[in-house]
Each structure stands twice: as C-alpha cells, then as structure tokens.
Amino acid sequence: MKQLFKFLAPYRKESILGPLFKLLEASFELLVPMVMKAIIDTGINGGGGRPYIVKMCIVLIALGLIGMLCSFTAQFFAAKAATGFAADVRHALFKHLEGLSFTEIDRIGTSTMITRMTSDVNLLQNGVNLTLRLLLRSPFVVIGAMIMAFMVDFKAALVFAVVIPVLAVIVFGIMLITMPIYKRAQKALDAVLKSTRENLGGIRVIRAFCKEYSETNEFNAKNEALADIQKYVGKISALMNPVTYVVINAAVIVLIYVGALRVESGVLLQGGVVALYNYMSQILVELIKLANMIISLTKAIAGGNRVADVLNEKSTLVNGTLKNGSSGGSVEFKNVTLVYSGSKEASLEDISFEAKPGETIGIIGGTGSGKSSLVHLIPRFYDAASGSVTVDGTDVREYDVNALRDKIGIVMQKAVLFKGSIRDNIRWGKPNASDDEIKEAIAAAQASEVINDKEGGLDYELEQGGKNLSGGQRQRMTIARALVKKPEILILDDSASALDFATDAALRKAIRDMDNAPTTFIVSQRAASVMYADKIIVLDDGRMAGIGTHDELLDSCDIYSEIYYSQFPKEVRG
C-alpha cells in the first residue's frame, strides 16, 4: 500500500489545500454554538435586546457562508487529487500488466486483472477522497468540541471526557473486525466476475452442450458465497451507527441533567447548556462520519494492497539487449522443452528443427498436441524451460523484446479486432502504413471484396471484436494486419479455420508471391492447409511424431497419414 503514495506526489498542493480548507470550515463550525450561547445568555436573558440578537444572527449567517465556501473549495481540491491519483494508478497498473509475460498473465487471471483495474482502483479513489476531506476534520471537530465544552463549563464537560474514549473503542474495534472480512469479500467478488466472464464468453458452447443449468447453479453458489460474506460484514458494520447513537444520546441525557443542576446552582446559564448540547451533537455527527470513513478506508486499504500485489508481480521475461541483429527470418529449435507455470508435465519436449529464410513450415497435430505452444516460443510469449530457440542465429533471449517482435507478424487463433475503422485496425501492424500498403496487405489476405462491399471502404467502422463481420472476414482482416508490417517471420496460428479451401489456397499462394516472402509457420488441423509446405512438423502430445514433406510423412508417419486420410475421402484423393 505504501508504494501507492508516490502517485499522490503530483497532487501535493491539492492534498494540502483540501484538508486545510476543511479545517477552516470546522473552525467556523465550532464557533456557532458559542454564538448561540451569546444570543441566549446576552441577547435574550441578559437584556441585549433585538439589536444584539440581529447582530449575532448576521454573524451566524456569515459563519455559515464562509464555512460553505471553504467546504466547496476543499471538496474541489480533494476530488481533483483523488481522481488524478486514481487515473495515475490505473495507467501504471495497465502499463505494468502490459509488460508482464504470458506466464504471469495466465497466473493472475483476466477476471482478477479487470477487478484490480476497476473495482479496486475505484475503492482507492473513494478512500483518498474521504481521507482528504474527513481524516483531519473529524478528529479536529471532536477534540475542538471537547475543548470548547471545557471552556463553557469544566464539570459539565467531564461527560465528554468519558464518552469520547468509549466511542473510539467502538469505532476502531469494529474496524479491526471488518478489515479482514472485506478482503475475503473481494476474493469472492473475483470468483463471481471470473464465472460471469467465462459464461458470457462461452455462452454458445454452454448452450450447445445444454450446460445452462449446471453453470447457473455454479454461478449462484459463488454469488451466494459473496452475498453471505457481504451480509455478515454488513451486519457488523451496521452496529456502528446504533451503538454510537445509544452512547451519544445517553451522554446527552447525562449532560442535560448535569447542566440543569449547574444552572439551578447559578454556576451555568441556559445558553451554556445549549452550547454543550450542540457540541455533543457535533461530536455525534463527526463520529458517524469518521466511522463511515473508516469503513470506506478499510475497503480502500484492502483494494490498495491487492493493486500493490499486482504491481509487485515481477515478470519472468528478462529483456535482452540486442536490437539490430542480422535479418533473413531463419528459425531454429534445439532440444526445446516447455513447461507452463504451475504444471509438472512438459507441454513440449525435445523439439528440434530448422526453418530457413522464406520457407513455409506446416505444424499439424491433434487438439492439445502443443502446436500453439511451439509458435509462441518464437516471439517469446513464453520462454523454453530447456534448450534454445534462435532467430537469425541468435537466441531469442538475447534480443530486445520489441526488436524481436518487430521481425515477427503473428495471427492468433481468435481473431481480435477493435472498435474503429478498418484502416485503424490494419495500422496496428504498422502505424505509419499508407493506404496503398494497407490495400496491398488486404489484397494478399484475400479480403479486397470485403472492403469493396463495405460503405466507406477503409473508413468502414468495425464494432468491438469485429462483430459486424463474419468469422472468415475477421480472420482475413487480422491476417492483413500482420502482413502490412511485411514481417521476416509470419505465424498463422490456426487463423484460417473459417476460410474455405479455395480462399485458403489463394492466401498461401499470395504470401509465397510477396516481395521478400517471410518465413511462414502455418498451424492448422487441416491437412490441406499444410500439405504444400516445404516442411511439415507433426506433433503428438508435445513431442515430434514426424517431420518432412507431405509425401514423406504419408509413408513414414502414421499420425499424419491418419489425419490426412480422415479428411480426404478416396474419391477426393484419387
């Protein structure tokens, strides 16, 4: 939590002026009961008459207006500091998450990252806002009211000296009990958000397998667990107001009784009793504010600790220094083994092969055989547990990550497009790409008719995720985005699964015919997509079951021949 304080540094002025103006407002507020005392004792009972009462009423109005102005000023500075602090924390958190390797991102989880970026940062913002407004003001009013009460009458004010410690024990006792429970509640919220995200993302699969009932039950169980924790901590927190009201009102009864005795003995006037009652009311209000602030602050501290935990997460990806290595696009795997974090079994084991510049390498195998894992080692999304992956003769771990990935164009299994124009989406591959370069990449990706059919052409606005395009159109757009940077190495990770065979073939031909054709890795479960590759790698449960050309593998690799013959009936083959 302490490391988050640095994000308040740019807002030192606001962090000082906000509480300062709140203290000024509190000072004027503490004077009000004394003015009321003067009106009663001097204006009404002391013979001061109407002129004195009017004068004191004007003073009351002036105190109220000045206090309101100070309050508005304090609120402005507190809000500016809190919102700026939250924005800076959110930017830093997002930048940090972007710098983590896939290993840390997999371990943290998407739902947790979303919660940290939204709910936890919002809790921090509210906590900073309330702290700047009330952390100094409320204790100042409580202590100031007690001092003013002693100035009115020492013996009657002894009630304050007894009540305030009792209230402090109640407030801080409840805070210490609820703080760890709020941490549990946030973990339960993470589970609910994770379940929600998974259900919404996989809603079609859930319906296809008629799993709505079981998923609903699982969600309800997690939601009820969260509700139970929140209700439990809510019951404890709810004790704050009634218990403090009981104590304060009991103190008011004692105060009025003692004040009446002091008035009867002639030591204290009626205005003094009214002033003491007002000071007790001020203490009541401020303690309730302080109690609510402490609850919010407890949540903010819990949220801040969770944000700090993510910021403290160190990337296992150690960046290299090489920025200007040799070019060409050659790739070599030497006895590579990959073990994912938290797994005891290797996802890839003893993989060795070489891809020469301009070659096309097909990678085929069953689901879960390690195809995507293999190509993810090239741009260093993951690092090999043993062995080495080299690009242009240099170990990928020696490259600066940005320099390495500038050499590579990759199209993931899931076609991800962003809200904006087609032009803006394609320029993710090359920010300064001209319209001619964009159209050339789109033509190579076999998507020219998509542009021609859309109103506005390159200016056609895509919805989030490209939802206003078909599956095949989305895939071709993401391929064009990778091609526009003219990479030395192109990785197509099962990214043509929605294309028909003719379009798939035309795409592969267009890539081969490109100027300075890249070294291309085609990951697919379709034999037709890889059969014309210069080299085909067959994976089975993380191991290489075969490597060679299509004809060689048909004769030597049972797994490849089984895949091929299952997809091509005799009448098609012959």
Side-chain angles (χ1 to χ4, degrees):
M1 183 67 187
K2 290 181 181 178
Q3 73 183 91
L4 299 180
F5 291 150
K6 66 182 180 183
F7 296 106
L8 268 178
Y11 307 97
R12 289 191 186 94
K13 181 182 73 174
E14 290 81 359
S15 299
I16 294 172
L17 291 176
L20 179 62
F21 276 97
K22 270 296 181 182
L23 293 181
L24 286 174
E25 178 207 356
S27 300
F28 293 123
E29 187 176 324
L30 289 172
L31 294 175
V32 170
M34 300 302 289
V35 176
M36 291 294 299
K37 177 179 179 297
I39 291 174
I40 296 171
D41 291 344
T42 304
I44 297 175
N45 295 332
R50 181 175 296 176
Y52 183 84
I53 296 173
V54 171
K55 183 175 69 173
M56 289 294 102
C57 287
I58 292 173
V59 172
L60 279 178
I61 294 172
L63 289 173
L65 291 175
I66 296 172
M68 182 177 67
L69 181 62
C70 290
S71 179
F72 284 164
T73 306
Q75 299 278 33
F76 169 77
F77 285 124
K80 184 177 179 182
T83 53
F85 166 79
D88 291 347
V89 170
R90 198 173 279 114
H91 282 302
L93 187 58
F94 184 79
K95 183 179 180 180
H96 182 73
L97 290 171
E98 286 286 288
L100 294 178
S101 71
F102 279 26
T103 300
E104 285 76 40
I105 291 174
D106 292 343
R107 183 170 63 250
I108 296 171
T110 304
S111 59
T112 299
M113 289 189 286
I114 292 172
T115 305
R116 300 295 175 265
M117 293 280 294
T118 54
S119 175
D120 287 336
V121 175
N122 287 339
L123 289 174
L124 275 172
Q125 179 177 332
N126 292 335
V128 170
N129 197 344
L130 288 174
T131 298
L132 294 178
R133 287 164 44 202
L134 299 177
L135 187 62
L136 293 181
R137 183 192 190 282
S138 293
F140 179 81
V141 171
V142 171
I143 297 171
M146 186 170 68
I147 293 172
M148 298 295 284
F150 275 103
M151 291 175 62
V152 174
D153 185 76
F154 184 83
K155 288 188 177 180
L158 290 174
V159 177
F160 289 76
V162 175
V163 170
I164 291 176
V166 173
L167 290 172
V169 169
I170 294 171
V171 169
F172 287 101
I174 292 176
M175 181 190 73
L176 291 174
I177 293 172
T178 55
M179 188 179 294
I181 304 176
Y182 280 122
K183 293 181 180 178
R184 286 167 45 203
Q186 196 63 30
K187 289 182 180 178
L189 177 61
D190 285 348
V192 171
L193 289 175
K194 180 180 179 182
S195 179
T196 303
R197 182 177 177 275
E198 289 175 346
N199 284 326
L200 292 177
I203 190 167
R204 295 186 180 183
V205 177
I206 291 170
R207 289 178 177 175
F209 287 90
C210 301
K211 300 290 288 184
E212 296 96 332
Y213 182 74
S214 62
E215 290 297 325
T216 300
N217 288 340
E218 182 180 345
F219 174 80
N220 288 339
K222 292 178 180 178
N223 204 33
E224 287 172 8
L226 173 62
D228 289 341
I229 295 174
Q230 289 180 330
K231 283 189 287 186
Y232 176 64
V233 72
K235 289 176 182 178
I236 298 174
S237 299
L239 292 173
M240 187 87 74
N241 286 1
V243 172
T244 50
Y245 270 110
V246 168
V247 174
I248 287 288
N249 283 296
V252 167
I253 294 171
V254 175
L255 180 65
I256 293 174
Y257 175 75
V258 173
L261 294 178
R262 302 286 285 173
V263 170
E264 187 178 11
S265 64
V267 178
L268 186 65
L269 298 176
Q270 292 92 331
V273 178
V274 172
L276 290 171
Y277 175 79
N278 282 337
Y279 283 127
M280 186 65 78
S281 298
Q282 285 183 353
I283 290 174
L284 170 63
V285 171
E286 291 306 321
L287 283 173
I288 296 300
K289 287 182 182 178
L290 186 61
N292 291 329
M293 184 207 73
I294 289 172
I295 292 173
S296 297
L297 194 57
T298 302
K299 294 179 181 178
I301 291 172
N305 286 332
R306 287 189 297 272
V307 171
D309 288 342
V310 175
L311 289 174
N312 289 330
E313 187 78 38
K314 301 298 182 183
S315 176
T316 54
L317 186 69
V318 179
N319 199 9
T321 57
L322 182 63
K323 293 186 177 181
N324 297 309
S326 58
S327 59
S330 65
V331 177
E332 185 176 5
F333 278 56
K334 297 178 182 178
N335 307 115
V336 171
T337 296
L338 171 65
V339 180
Y340 285 114
S341 176
S343 175
K344 295 180 180 179
E345 297 182 0
S347 298
L348 292 173
E349 191 170 353
D350 196 27
I351 304 295
S352 298
F353 69 89
E354 182 179 2
K356 296 178 181 178
E359 281 189 337
T360 298
I361 308 297
I363 302 173
I364 195 169
T367 302
S369 59
K371 301 185 298 296
S372 295
S373 297
L374 188 149
V375 293
H376 285 173
L377 291 170
I378 301 172
R380 281 199 76 191
F381 291 156
Y382 299 95
D383 276 336
S386 64
S388 65
V389 179
T390 61
V391 170
D392 292 326
T394 304
D395 194 306
V396 292
R397 285 169 287 202
E398 297 179 17
Y399 278 98
D400 174 81
V401 171
N402 291 328
L404 172 66
R405 292 174 184 171
D406 279 342
K407 299 163 72 74
I408 301 168
I410 184 168
V411 186
M412 299 289 196
Q413 287 177 321
K414 182 179 179 182
V416 177
L417 294 169
F418 302 91
K419 184 175 177 61
S421 68
I422 291 176
R423 179 185 288 103
D424 291 339
N425 270 273
I426 301 299
R427 277 182 174 164
W428 272 67
K430 184 180 180 181
N432 60 348
S434 66
D435 283 0
D436 289 339
E437 289 177 306
I438 293 172
K439 289 177 180 177
E440 181 184 348
I442 289 173
Q446 309 303 303
S448 295
E449 74 279 6
V450 178
I451 305 300
N452 297 333
D453 292 343
K454 301 298 181 184
E455 185 178 351
L458 293 177
D459 293 318
Y460 179 74
E461 286 289 316
L462 300 180
E463 296 297 327
Q464 181 67 34
K467 288 183 171 56
N468 51 344
L469 296 179
S470 68
Q473 290 173 337
R474 286 197 295 270
Q475 286 190 338
R476 282 177 281 171
M477 286 297 164
T478 55
I479 293 169
R481 184 170 60 195
L483 292 177
V484 76
K485 69 187 293 187
K486 296 181 179 177
E488 296 175 22
I489 300 168
L490 176 65
I491 300 171
L492 303 179
D493 186 3
D494 204 13
S495 53
S497 57
L499 304 184
D500 59 73
F501 287 103
T503 305
D504 187 12
L507 169 66
R508 286 183 275 109
K509 182 178 185 301
I511 293 173
R512 285 196 304 271
D513 293 342
M514 288 175 61
D515 294 335
N516 299 318
T519 305
T520 305
F521 290 83
I522 301 176
V523 176
S524 181
Q525 295 186 29
R526 299 196 314 198
S529 297
V530 301
M531 61 189 295
Y532 297 106
D534 298 302
K535 198 178 294 179
I536 302 171
I537 298 170
V538 184
L539 292 178
D540 180 39
D541 197 21
R543 291 176 172 271
M544 284 181 58
I547 183 170
T549 63
H550 169 71
D551 292 333
E552 291 171 348
L553 290 172
L554 281 179
D555 294 333
S556 63
C557 182
D558 293 338
I559 293 176
Y560 182 78
S561 58
E562 181 181 345
I563 293 172
Y564 175 73
Y565 292 133
S566 67
Q567 295 177 4
F568 288 87
K570 289 183 179 180
E571 56 271 19
V572 176
R573 283 181 266 148

